[in-house]
Amino acid sequence: MKAPAPAPTRAPRSRADWVLLVALLLLAALFCLWYLLPRQHPIAGLTVFVLPPTLLALGVALRSRLAAYWAGVLALFWFCHGVMLAWSSPAERAYAWIELVLALVVIFAANLAGVKARFGKKAEPPKPHP
């Protein structure tokens, strides 16, 4: 009787994946403080701002590359939202700056693997034998 094949092991998470996961969770926490605690717009705050980074963090935790892609796309929205509020709403400026910085972290962490693949060191071709 043959021994069962060992279970395939996953590669360890990269630092960028951990940074992306933490940044998404911090964004969700920020939006909870910003929109849910004051009870100004709880349903809109939950569905538009809190759920997307939370669900994307879950996808990143499950190692979905698609979740990392969509996190980068939605981070562009969060960046624009942060810039708009930092510029126009002095009362919310601190929250907006935190959102802006976290959005930039998400954008860079989500795209780091592609940037490394595109611009990283190329393997040298084998030298021909004389």
Side-chain angles (χ1 to χ4, degrees), residues 3-9:
T9 59

PDB file of all heavy atoms in Angstrom, residues 3-9:
ATOM      1  N   ALA A   3       1.997   5.123   0.544  1.00  0.00           N
ATOM      2  CA  ALA A   3       1.765   6.184   1.534  1.00  0.00           C
ATOM      3  C   ALA A   3       1.058   7.344   0.854  1.00  0.00           C
ATOM      4  O   ALA A   3       1.302   7.622  -0.323  1.00  0.00           O
ATOM      5  CB  ALA A   3       3.089   6.644   2.133  1.00  0.00           C
ATOM      6  N   PRO A   4       0.177   8.019   1.566  1.00  0.00           N
ATOM      7  CA  PRO A   4      -0.512   9.154   0.938  1.00  0.00           C
ATOM      8  C   PRO A   4       0.473  10.264   0.601  1.00  0.00           C
ATOM      9  O   PRO A   4       1.471  10.475   1.282  1.00  0.00           O
ATOM     10  CB  PRO A   4      -1.519   9.607   2.003  1.00  0.00           C
ATOM     11  CG  PRO A   4      -1.011   9.045   3.286  1.00  0.00           C
ATOM     12  CD  PRO A   4      -0.221   7.812   2.944  1.00  0.00           C
ATOM     13  N   ALA A   5       0.161  10.945  -0.482  1.00  0.00           N
ATOM     14  CA  ALA A   5       1.019  12.054  -0.921  1.00  0.00           C
ATOM     15  C   ALA A   5       0.916  13.191   0.097  1.00  0.00           C
ATOM     16  O   ALA A   5      -0.157  13.443   0.647  1.00  0.00           O
ATOM     17  CB  ALA A   5       0.585  12.541  -2.293  1.00  0.00           C
ATOM     18  N   PRO A   6       2.038  13.836   0.351  1.00  0.00           N
ATOM     19  CA  PRO A   6       1.969  14.944   1.297  1.00  0.00           C
ATOM     20  C   PRO A   6       1.122  16.089   0.730  1.00  0.00           C
ATOM     21  O   PRO A   6       1.070  16.294  -0.484  1.00  0.00           O
ATOM     22  CB  PRO A   6       3.429  15.379   1.468  1.00  0.00           C
ATOM     23  CG  PRO A   6       4.129  14.860   0.264  1.00  0.00           C
ATOM     24  CD  PRO A   6       3.370  13.642  -0.186  1.00  0.00           C
ATOM     25  N   ALA A   7       0.456  16.782   1.616  1.00  0.00           N
ATOM     26  CA  ALA A   7      -0.378  17.921   1.195  1.00  0.00           C
ATOM     27  C   ALA A   7       0.524  19.021   0.644  1.00  0.00           C
ATOM     28  O   ALA A   7       1.620  19.249   1.162  1.00  0.00           O
ATOM     29  CB  ALA A   7      -1.171  18.448   2.376  1.00  0.00           C
ATOM     30  N   PRO A   8       0.079  19.673  -0.417  1.00  0.00           N
ATOM     31  CA  PRO A   8       0.911  20.754  -0.968  1.00  0.00           C
ATOM     32  C   PRO A   8       1.018  21.894   0.043  1.00  0.00           C
ATOM     33  O   PRO A   8       0.059  22.227   0.732  1.00  0.00           O
ATOM     34  CB  PRO A   8       0.163  21.198  -2.216  1.00  0.00           C
ATOM     35  CG  PRO A   8      -1.231  20.700  -2.048  1.00  0.00           C
ATOM     36  CD  PRO A   8      -1.162  19.508  -1.144  1.00  0.00           C
ATOM     37  N   THR A   9       2.199  22.440   0.127  1.00  0.00           N
ATOM     38  CA  THR A   9       2.400  23.546   1.066  1.00  0.00           C
ATOM     39  C   THR A   9       2.306  24.859   0.311  1.00  0.00           C
ATOM     40  O   THR A   9       2.682  24.948  -0.857  1.00  0.00           O
ATOM     41  CB  THR A   9       3.777  23.461   1.752  1.00  0.00           C
ATOM     42  OG1 THR A   9       4.782  23.482   0.740  1.00  0.00           O
ATOM     43  CG2 THR A   9       3.890  22.189   2.569  1.00  0.00           C
TER      44      THR A   9
END
